[in-house]
């Protein structure tokens, strides 16, 4: 048996869907296609997979996609400052707690 | 007095703030946030959302705590970025002490015939399976030529005591050569204690050598795991522990358990055995994949799920013991908690990124081959030489540490850039285990969604943080473990 | 409490301005040295005063009545603690000032009363008046201080307002008193200028500790306590600059109503971010200066925060940060902080209540500031049996 999930491509990024798919890759593979307004994810369960309730799985998966969106947003907002901090870390200011 | 301004005068009127890099995970209905250096904060989903939206009110407790913990900064706390930089640097400097653990496999021979052991040989052929003086001397030179100011030489086997002559040779050779170098040199023998004698103990006393032995649980379990002629491994080990304590001192012996599927039935009887033997703690060790997964090259979640239950039950039981007033540690948790609560790295080989192979410890095999880790040596015994990173006959320290055979797995397994790990809230506590992943999946990085290693770590981190953060009594027990 | 400054109506002097001298009771001091010393006559007897000393002091005025010597001062009763080795500043108006006491465990030099903070609990309320003569006296005194002095301190006000001149003082300490550890109390903000931190570093004093308060991990609270906006970040920056140059830094936290709420978090902040500081001082409230005016906003009974104090100490101990608890009474702290409990910094503020006379641990207890006895102390002072 297989089933599919749709995501509005206006408000969901493909990246988030892919990352979520990766998280669930122990249980299933996703076949992602696209039409003019949405991403269509076909769920292909793995052999001896533990997906027994597709509704629960859908909720879990959608939540994971949302979390991944949030992660992407955090990463976008903090990439610049992260580089700044790493620059501090590798600069020769000489201060470290283990010195 | 009117000269003084009221508290609200100092309230920041600029309500904007800047997010600092952080990651999150969901644990038991709570949201865990961890920042760039692994400082953590538990909160609610709404707080996470408004935090990211930029709408967290700057007089709320969440705001104050998140700012102090360097998840955000504002115009009052521009120093946060520099402080995070310093903390990052501190964590990186943990890696500067390259390789202090040197494992000398001085004999593959063993009088035990443990089924999970891939390396030992039942043989009297000293020539074939013992380390020669010549190889030993080269291994000592190699070990002393590294940059670490501390060198710990661990004698391994098989049963290293079956080649006691080479052991003595190495101790003398290392001490003599070290006189000019002046490193902090120590020795430990990993032995099942079955063949220990008074003569050996006198020698250990003279040279301040410590003993590390195996104790898998009570007699039934231990003897089941460790068959030998006479079926008395347990009796010999516990008598041996007693003898070592009498001769060398109570704390000169520690014990490690090997976790087999039979151990998983009940951690409590194992813990009871450790208590009974007077140990101050136990290491509820992860299941070694080498008897199970490697042979079949097949991922098997069953093993690590069962282990995790075993671990949780064991930890719970140990906490009860502590609550009754007996100080008894669980070393695996203590190691992880140290990583979570401090910037110091306890140097646990499996929880480092870059991986601990080679850098955390290095193995000199009886025949002169150099391995990046003990597991790498076992893999080689099973016919795969991927982690054979050099040979004492031809290579020096620098050759080995700059070789692609070591650097490739280090580089390819880095967690900072790995899928899943790079977004994982636990990445700062976790590590790379290229040997495990190579053995189970064929590549150094492995797929974390399917990885036993990831399952075990992810759940252990969640469980420990959740337990630490929910209960004051448990908290203070955990804190006493990391000192 | 000892009074370090006094005046005498009965004196005679032939100099203009001031003169700083060391007290001596040695009537056979070699003649060439005598000029730098003030001879003290302790005995209430009429003897011939030895010639050639820079000044003469006694509590007995009659010895001077017949004296042919110039520069004598009849010291008041309340300054009878004066003894050989003390450094005294004499002024032409008859006022005298014990600037350094040889028997004190610890001498502190007030360098200025000017300050860019206005702390709620300041014990030395800032004044704006020019007072750089205080620094000048300290500079003079350094030449006279015994070379074997173990430790001494400089306080304010804010000593760094002197900029380079403070650095000169440190340099002079290193020159004259290389064995003596010095503490400088500062809010640290001046060191947020890396150039200034480098100036201090260049002196290379072997044992100079900058003692800097951080009252909270929350900038708004710290700023409120010190009554200055933007203080927190600058102070942190100052500490970082000093430690980057390996300069010793102590962090001081005065515990009161405004700081107790986040004391544990503040110690956690220190243990995560400033692990490299050399010492953390956790100090009880002294009831002087501004504290008395702000007492309702500051007072909290130490007995009521003893568990919090224990937690704070535990956090610091766990991170292996040296730390000490000052200005607390033993009966108001939990036994688990006793390893960090410090009897007293200076030796002239240990006073006790009646209750304390029954106490078996009085000798281990730091007791009270006289201001605490006078105005406010814990309601839970209870003798150990
Ligand atoms: S291995 Fe798993 S637990 Fe560890 S960092 Fe990667 S994703 Fe997280
Ligand atoms: S009773 Fe007095 S001397 Fe005793 S501990 Fe309390 S304050 Fe100190």
């Amino acid at each position: 048996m297989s089933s599919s999930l749709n995501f509005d491509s206006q408000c969901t990024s493909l990246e988030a869907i892919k990352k979520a798919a990766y998280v669930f890759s122990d249980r299933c593979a996703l076949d992602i296609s696209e039409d003019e307004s949405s991403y269509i994810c076909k769920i292909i369960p793995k052999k001896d997979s533990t997906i027994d309730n597709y509704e629960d799985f859908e909720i879990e998966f959608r939540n994971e996609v949302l979390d991944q969106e949030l992660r992407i947003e955090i990463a976008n907002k903090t990439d610049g400052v992260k580089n700044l901090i790493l620059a501090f870390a590798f600069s020769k200011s000489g201060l470290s707690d283990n010195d | 007095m009117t000269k003084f301004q009221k508290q609200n005068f100092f309230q920041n009127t600029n309500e904007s703030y800047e997010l600092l890099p952080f990651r999150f995970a969901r644990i038991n209905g709570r949201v865990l946030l961890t920042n760039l250096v692994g400082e953590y904060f538990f909160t609610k989903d709404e707080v996470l959302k408004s935090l990211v939206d930029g709408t967290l009110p700057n007089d709320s407790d969440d705001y104050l705590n998140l700012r102090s913990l360097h998840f955000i900064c504002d115009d009052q706390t521009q120093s946060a970025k520099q402080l995070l930089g310093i903390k990052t640097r501190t964590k990186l400097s943990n890696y500067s002490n390259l390789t202090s653990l040197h494992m000398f496999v001085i004999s593959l021979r063993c009088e035990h015939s443990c089924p999970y052991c891939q390396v030992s040989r039942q043989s009297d052929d000293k020539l074939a399976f013992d380390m020669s003086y010549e190889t030993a001397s080269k291994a000592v030179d190699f070990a002393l030529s590294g940059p670490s100011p501390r060198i710990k030489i661990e004698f391994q086997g098989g049963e290293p005591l079956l080649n006691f002559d080479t052991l003595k040779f190495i101790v003398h050779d290392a001490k003599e050569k070290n006189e000019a170098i002046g490193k902090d040199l120590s020795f430990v023998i990993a032995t099942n204690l079955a063949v220990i004698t008074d003569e050996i103990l006198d020698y250990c006393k003279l040279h301040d050598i410590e003993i590390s032995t195996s104790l898998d649980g009570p007699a039934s379990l231990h003897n089941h795991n460790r068959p030998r002629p006479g079926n008395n491994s347990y009796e010999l080990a516990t008598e041996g522990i007693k003898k070592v304590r009498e001769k060398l001192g109570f704390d000169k012996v520690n014990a490690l358990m090997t976790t087999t599927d039979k151990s998983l039935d009940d951690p409590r009887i194992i813990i009871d055995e450790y208590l009974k033997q007077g140990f101050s703690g136990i290491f509820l060790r992860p299941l070694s994949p080498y008897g199970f997964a490697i042979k079949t090259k097949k991922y098997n979640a069953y093993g690590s799920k069962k282990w995790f239950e075993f671990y949780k039950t064991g930890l719970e039981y140990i906490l009860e013991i502590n609550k009754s007033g007996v100080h008894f540690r669980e070393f695996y948790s203590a190691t992880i908690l140290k990583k979570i609560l401090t910037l110091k790295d306890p140097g646990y080989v499996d929880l480092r990124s870059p991986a601990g192979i080679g850098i955390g410890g290095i193995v000199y095999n009886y025949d002169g081959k150099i391995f990046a880790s003990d597991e790498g040596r076992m893999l080689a015994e099973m016919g795969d030489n991927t982690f054979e990173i050099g040979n004492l006959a031809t290579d020096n320290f620098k050759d080995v540490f700059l070789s692609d055979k070591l650097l490739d797995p280090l580089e390819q397994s880095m967690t900072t850039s790995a899928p899943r790990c790079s977004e994982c809230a636990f990445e700062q506590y976790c590590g790379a285990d290229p040997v495990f992943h190579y053995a189970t999946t064929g590549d150094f990085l492995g797929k974390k969604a399917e990885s036993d290693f990831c399952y075990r770590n992810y759940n252990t981190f969640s469980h420990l943080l959740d337990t630490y953060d929910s209960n004051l009594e448990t908290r203070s027990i955990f804190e006493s473990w990391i000192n | 409490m000892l009074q370090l400054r006094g005046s005498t109506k009965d004196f005679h002097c032939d100099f203009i301005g001031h003169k700083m001298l060391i007290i001596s009771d040695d009537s056979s001091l070699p003649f060439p040295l005598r000029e730098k010393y003030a001879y003290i006559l302790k005995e209430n007897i009429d003897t011939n005063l030895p010639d050639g000393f820079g000044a003469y002091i006694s509590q007995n005025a009659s010895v001077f009545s017949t004296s042919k010597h110039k520069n004598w001062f009849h010291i008041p009763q309340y300054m009878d603690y004066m003894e050989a080795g003390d450094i005294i500043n004499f002024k032409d108006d008859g006022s005298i000032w014990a600037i350094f006491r040889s028997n004190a465990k610890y001498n502190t030099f007030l360098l200025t009363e000017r300050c860019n903070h206005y702390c709620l609990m300041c014990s030395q309320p800032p004044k704006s008046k020019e007072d750089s003569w205080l620094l000048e006296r300290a500079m003079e005194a350094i030449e006279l201080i015994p070379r074997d002095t173990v430790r001494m301190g400089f306080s304010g006000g804010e000593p760094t307002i002197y900029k380079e001149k403070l650095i000169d003082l440190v340099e002079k300490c290193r020159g004259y008193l290389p064995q003596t550890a010095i503490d400088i109390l500062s809010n640290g903000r001046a060191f947020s200028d890396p150039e200034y931190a480098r100036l201090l570093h260049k002196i290379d004093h072997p044992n100079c500790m900058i003692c800097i308060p951080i009252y909270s991990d929350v900038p708004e609270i710290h700023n409120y306590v010190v009554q200055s906006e933007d203080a927190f970040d600058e102070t942190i920056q100052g500490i970082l600059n000093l430690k980057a140059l390996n300069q010793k830094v102590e962090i001081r936290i005065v515990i009161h109503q405004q700081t107790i709420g986040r004391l544990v978090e503040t110690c956690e902040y220190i243990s995560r971010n400033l692990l490299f500081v050399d010492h953390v001082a956790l100090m009880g409230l002294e009831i002087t200066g501004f504290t008395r005016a702000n007492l309702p906003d500051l007072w909290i009974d130490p007995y009521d925060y003893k568990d919090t104090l224990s937690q704070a100490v535990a956090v610091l101990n766990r991170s292996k940060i040296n730390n000490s608890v000052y200005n607390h009474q033993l009966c108001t702290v939990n036994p688990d902080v006793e390893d960090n409990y410090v009897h007293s910094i200076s030796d002239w503020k240990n006073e006790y209540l009646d209750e304390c006379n029954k106490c078996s641990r009085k000798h281990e207890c730091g007791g009270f500031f006289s201001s605490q006895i006078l105005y406010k102390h814990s309601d839970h002072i209870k003798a150990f049996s």
Side-chain angles (χ1 to χ4, degrees):
Chain A
M1 181 193 150
S2 77
S3 143
S4 62
L5 293 172
N6 285 14
F7 290 90
D8 186 335
S9 51
Q10 287 296 299
C11 30
T12 312
S13 72
L14 187 57
E15 192 188 353
I17 297 173
K18 281 184 178 166
K19 288 191 168 194
Y22 191 81
V23 172
F24 289 97
S25 60
D26 57 332
R27 291 195 252 166
C28 64
L30 280 203
D31 179 46
I32 306 170
S33 56
E34 192 179 353
D35 65 18
E36 59 286 352
S37 64
S38 54
Y39 296 115
I40 303 138
C41 310
K42 195 160 153 243
I43 302 165
I44 306 159
K46 279 193 152 181
K47 263 192 259 142
D48 32 272
S49 133
T50 50
I51 309 180
D52 25 47
N53 183 332
Y54 272 90
E55 270 161 45
D56 286 354
F57 180 80
E58 179 173 347
I59 294 171
E60 244 188 283
F61 192 83
R62 286 193 183 277
N63 282 335
E64 186 61 40
V65 171
L66 285 179
D67 276 358
Q68 293 297 348
E69 292 281 12
L70 203 54
R71 292 194 172 101
I72 293 166
E73 188 181 347
I74 295 166
N76 287 341
K77 285 187 173 167
T78 58
D79 257 6
V81 68
K82 184 168 172 178
N83 292 331
L84 185 77
I85 293 165
L86 292 178
F88 268 132
F90 292 108
S91 77
K92 287 204 285 265
S93 81
L95 198 56
S96 137
D97 286 339
N98 282 355
D99 284 353
Chain B
M1 267 213 195
T2 50
K3 282 188 281 181
F4 295 100
Q5 300 291 354
K6 293 261 178 289
Q7 172 135 35
N8 55 17
F9 177 86
F10 296 94
Q11 182 58 40
N12 196 357
T13 47
N14 179 355
E15 298 208 347
S16 67
Y17 59 85
E18 190 180 352
L19 285 185
L20 297 169
F22 74 92
R23 295 179 268 210
F24 69 90
R26 297 178 188 279
I27 303 175
N28 274 343
R30 296 197 286 173
V31 179
L32 171 81
L33 313 180
T34 62
N35 75 359
L36 200 58
V37 291
E39 291 161 323
Y40 78 91
F41 186 68
F42 272 109
T43 189
K44 296 190 286 276
D45 197 35
E46 306 89 83
V47 176
L48 169 62
K49 298 245 164 69
S50 83
L51 169 70
V52 179
D53 286 351
T55 55
L56 200 63
N58 75 357
D59 56 355
S60 64
D61 275 346
D62 286 320
Y63 185 95
L64 299 184
N65 287 323
L66 285 164
R67 185 179 52 173
S68 275
L69 287 165
H70 295 159
F71 289 86
I72 48 179
C73 69
D74 56 20
D75 54 12
Q76 297 287 310
T77 48
Q78 284 301 306
S79 51
K81 294 169 194 167
Q82 196 181 346
L83 290 168
L84 271 171
I86 293 166
K87 287 187 273 193
T88 305
R89 189 189 179 86
T90 303
K91 294 198 91 170
L92 291 170
S93 71
N94 287 325
Y95 290 91
S96 58
N97 267 350
L98 212 58
T99 314
S100 52
L101 178 62
H102 299 260
M103 289 166 269
F104 285 56
V105 181
I106 55 176
S107 175
L108 278 195
R109 294 181 297 123
C110 186
E111 26 61 63
H112 276 63
S113 50
C114 308
Y116 52 78
C117 179
Q118 279 85 40
V119 297
S120 69
R121 299 289 195 289
Q122 274 66 50
S123 164
D124 289 326
D125 187 350
K126 289 187 169 234
L127 273 176
F129 300 117
D130 283 9
M131 186 183 271
S132 68
Y133 286 0
E134 194 196 345
T135 304
S137 172
K138 285 195 178 128
V140 168
D141 290 335
F142 192 96
L144 289 173
S145 65
S148 173
R150 256 175 293 127
I151 301 286
K152 183 177 217 168
I153 291 181
E154 180 175 305
F155 297 105
Q156 284 252 9
E159 172 49 61
L161 292 181
L162 293 179
N163 188 7
F164 192 55
D165 286 339
T166 298
L167 190 155
K168 286 194 286 193
F169 172 82
I170 291 169
V171 171
H172 287 282
D173 195 43
K175 284 196 162 180
E176 198 176 288
K177 286 171 178 162
N178 188 44
E179 251 163 50
I181 305 170
K183 290 182 191 280
D184 175 0
L185 186 61
S186 63
F187 301 94
V188 59
I189 305 174
T191 168
N192 56 42
L193 289 173
V195 296
I196 195 116
T197 62
D198 282 345
E199 182 213 336
I200 294 173
L201 283 171
D202 287 339
Y203 184 82
C204 290
K205 171 116 191 143
L206 190 66
H207 292 278
D208 198 20
I209 301 172
E210 299 193 359
I211 303 292
S212 166
T213 192
S214 303
L215 182 64
D216 292 352
S220 58
L221 180 59
H222 186 96
N223 286 340
H224 172 90
N225 278 353
R226 300 178 181 269
R228 80 181 295 278
N231 196 29
N232 60 350
S233 178
Y234 172 84
E235 287 72 16
L236 292 173
T238 50
E239 274 161 36
I241 289 169
K242 234 180 118 199
K243 254 199 224 154
V244 177
R245 285 177 170 160
E246 276 161 17
K247 284 249 180 192
L248 304 185
F250 200 86
D251 296 324
K252 294 290 177 187
V253 56
N254 65 39
L256 266 180
M257 67 183 281
T258 295
T259 313
T260 62
D261 46 357
K262 194 158 189 292
S263 326
L264 296 181
D265 293 343
D266 190 358
R268 283 170 295 208
I269 60 166
I270 305 173
I271 293 161
D272 284 344
E273 180 65 32
Y274 271 71
L275 266 177
K276 194 171 111 192
Q277 297 298 334
F279 289 107
S280 62
I282 189 171
F283 183 178
L284 294 176
R285 239 166 139 193
L287 210 54
S288 156
Y290 302 96
F292 313 98
I294 288 186
K295 278 187 184 152
T296 55
K297 289 241 172 191
K298 180 176 175 291
Y299 162 71
N300 180 359
Y302 176 72
S304 77
K305 282 199 176 113
K306 229 180 140 191
W307 176 84
F308 182 59
E309 289 310 315
F310 163 85
Y311 165 78
K312 272 202 299 193
T313 314
L315 182 62
E316 176 95 44
Y317 184 58
I318 291 170
L319 286 170
E320 289 308 320
I321 292 169
N322 280 273
K323 285 176 194 167
S324 75
V326 177
H327 186 76
F328 189 83
R329 293 177 206 219
E330 199 287 295
F331 294 119
Y332 189 56
S333 310
T335 302
I336 292 171
L337 285 162
K338 186 155 197 176
K339 292 195 68 147
I340 293 176
L341 301 175
T342 74
L343 297 176
K344 298 265 184 271
D345 190 285
Y348 182 59
V349 179
D350 291 349
L351 295 179
R352 310 180 85 172
S353 174
I357 56 166
I359 301 172
I362 190 164
V363 181
Y364 311 105
N365 211 7
Y366 72 100
D367 55 4
K369 289 177 178 162
I370 303 170
F371 291 101
S373 79
D374 206 24
E375 290 76 10
R377 155 173 83 118
M378 294 190 187
L379 210 58
E381 286 297 327
M382 293 158 69
D384 186 330
N385 293 326
T386 305
F387 295 96
E388 183 189 324
I389 52 175
N391 197 305
L392 289 170
T394 49
D395 301 317
N396 65 29
F397 195 90
K398 213 165 144 194
D399 296 337
V400 167
F401 276 83
L402 294 178
S403 73
D404 289 343
K405 282 203 100 171
L406 180 61
L407 295 182
D408 283 349
L410 285 178
E411 198 178 307
Q412 289 170 28
S413 66
M414 289 278 283
T415 54
T416 34
S417 49
R420 187 104 205 251
C421 297
S422 62
E423 284 126 42
C424 176
F426 304 116
E427 192 263 334
Q428 281 295 311
Y429 317 138
C430 201
D433 193 343
V435 187
F436 177 95
H437 286 114
Y438 174 80
T440 52
T441 68
D443 75 76
F444 297 129
L445 183 57
K447 290 200 188 60
K448 293 299 153 57
E450 303 177 32
S451 154
D452 239 3
F453 171 86
C454 176
Y455 177 89
R456 184 222 312 156
N457 286 340
Y458 193 96
N459 284 289
T460 310
F461 298 143
S462 303
H463 183 66
L464 276 174
L465 266 163
D466 196 30
T467 318
Y468 175 81
D469 202 78
S470 338
N471 177 313
L472 266 184
E473 190 180 12
T474 312
R475 197 180 177 123
S476 66
I477 294 170
F478 279 161
E479 280 163 1
S480 72
W481 290 1
I482 64 171
N483 277 337
Chain C
M1 182 148 149
L2 294 183
Q3 218 168 314
L4 296 179
R5 289 164 191 266
S7 61
T8 169
K9 283 186 209 80
D10 215 2
F11 70 100
H12 175 274
C13 82
D14 73 345
F15 58 83
I16 296 169
H18 76 280
K19 209 171 181 182
M20 201 179 285
L21 301 169
I22 309 170
I23 297 180
S24 167
D25 55 6
D26 180 3
S27 58
S28 57
L29 194 72
F31 214 85
L33 294 177
R34 292 188 181 181
E35 206 187 331
K36 285 187 179 166
Y37 287 84
Y39 183 76
I40 188 166
L41 190 75
K42 281 260 181 191
E43 264 30 33
N44 203 356
I45 41 167
D46 291 339
T47 61
N48 282 333
L49 293 172
D51 289 337
F53 278 89
Y56 298 85
I57 57 177
S58 174
Q59 281 190 59
N60 175 10
S62 65
V63 296
F64 300 127
S65 58
T66 57
S67 169
K68 59 184 190 314
H69 296 281
K70 296 165 188 154
N71 298 333
W72 52 262
F73 295 81
H74 173 207
I75 55 175
Q77 177 75 45
Y78 54 79
M79 294 184 87
D80 66 350
Y81 55 79
M82 285 190 186
E83 61 194 334
D86 289 359
I87 299 170
I88 310 293
N89 191 57
F90 299 92
K91 268 176 76 176
D92 57 8
D93 62 0
S95 61
I96 48 182
W97 169 22
I99 196 166
F100 180 94
R101 295 201 316 111
S102 62
N103 247 338
K105 271 192 257 169
Y106 190 85
N107 281 281
T108 303
F109 294 85
L110 178 79
L111 295 182
T112 177
E113 294 183 304
R114 288 166 289 162
C115 191
N116 54 347
H117 282 178
Y118 205 72
C119 299
L120 297 177
M121 67 293 177
C122 184
S123 59
Q124 189 73 54
K127 304 201 176 92
S128 53
K129 165 170 110 268
E130 216 289 328
D131 55 5
S132 51
W133 57 274
L134 282 164
L135 177 75
E136 285 158 23
R137 294 300 166 270
M139 289 290 262
E140 278 174 63
I142 287 167
E143 295 174 22
L144 307 177
I145 291 169
R147 305 280 179 267
D148 59 357
T149 301
V150 178
R151 181 166 213 112
M152 61 187 194
F154 298 99
S155 75
E158 176 51 47
T160 59
I161 58 155
Y162 289 118
K163 288 285 165 194
E164 286 78 10
K165 281 195 190 151
L166 178 68
I167 308 293
D168 294 343
L169 175 96
V170 176
E171 187 169 26
K172 189 159 184 182
C173 285
R174 194 204 55 189
Y176 278 86
L177 300 161
Q179 323 280 5
T180 306
I182 59 171
D183 300 320
I184 299 174
L185 270 59
S186 164
N187 60 39
R189 293 175 71 173
F191 298 105
S192 66
D193 172 7
E195 212 31 64
Y196 191 54
R198 255 193 298 276
L199 277 183
L200 176 68
H201 176 67
K202 272 221 306 260
I203 301 303
D204 196 24
H205 190 288
N207 204 344
C208 167
M209 177 95 91
I210 313 294
C211 307
I212 300 174
I214 293 180
Y215 295 121
S216 178
D217 64 320
V218 171
E220 289 82 357
I221 298 178
H222 176 86
N223 296 350
Y224 168 57
V225 171
V226 306
Q227 293 281 304
S228 170
E229 293 172 278
D230 305 323
F232 179 85
D233 237 4
E234 253 182 59
T235 293
I236 296 289
Q237 192 60 56
I239 293 174
L240 294 182
N241 288 346
L242 287 168
K243 286 312 303 180
L245 296 166
N246 237 334
Q247 202 64 49
K248 284 189 178 180
V249 171
E250 170 183 277
I251 292 179
R252 299 197 160 188
I253 308 176
V254 179
I255 304 171
H256 53 63
Q257 225 183 90
Q258 303 304 324
T259 59
I260 191 71
R262 288 191 72 93
L263 182 66
V264 176
E265 286 85 349
T266 302
C267 289
E268 271 166 2
Y269 178 91
I270 293 167
S271 72
R272 286 194 320 271
N273 296 298
L274 305 171
L275 197 56
F276 35 70
V277 298
D278 301 272
H279 186 236
V280 174
L282 300 162
M283 323 182 72
L285 192 61
E286 197 182 344
I287 319 290
T288 53
F290 285 157
T291 305
R292 283 171 57 199
N294 292 317
L295 203 59
D297 289 332
L298 294 175
W299 175 253
I300 172 169
D301 194 317
Y303 188 84
D304 294 334
Y305 66 67
K306 62 187 168 71
D307 293 345
T308 308
L309 180 63
S310 291
Q311 273 184 53
V313 168
V315 167
L316 296 171
N317 282 344
R318 211 159 45 237
S319 310
K320 307 202 163 52
I321 298 180
N322 287 324
N323 66 94
S324 311
V325 173
Y326 295 107
N327 304 344
H328 284 74
Q329 297 75 44
L330 259 190
C331 55
T332 62
V333 300
N334 290 325
D336 60 2
V337 309
E338 285 187 19
D339 283 347
N340 299 80
Y341 180 89
V342 175
H343 184 256
S344 172
I345 316 180
S346 82
D347 61 348
W348 44 290
K349 64 180 175 205
N350 310 73
E351 297 188 23
Y352 296 88
L353 301 176
D354 287 345
E355 175 75 13
C356 303
N357 295 330
K358 295 186 280 183
C359 181
S360 62
R361 303 187 65 187
K362 188 176 169 187
H363 60 287
E364 299 166 65
C365 176
F368 301 84
F369 288 110
S370 49
S371 65
Q372 293 171 320
I373 295 209
L374 225 48
Y375 302 108
K376 191 83 188 162
H377 57 71
S378 170
D379 293 334
H380 299 269
I381 300 304
K382 197 166 178 323
F384 286 95
S385 53

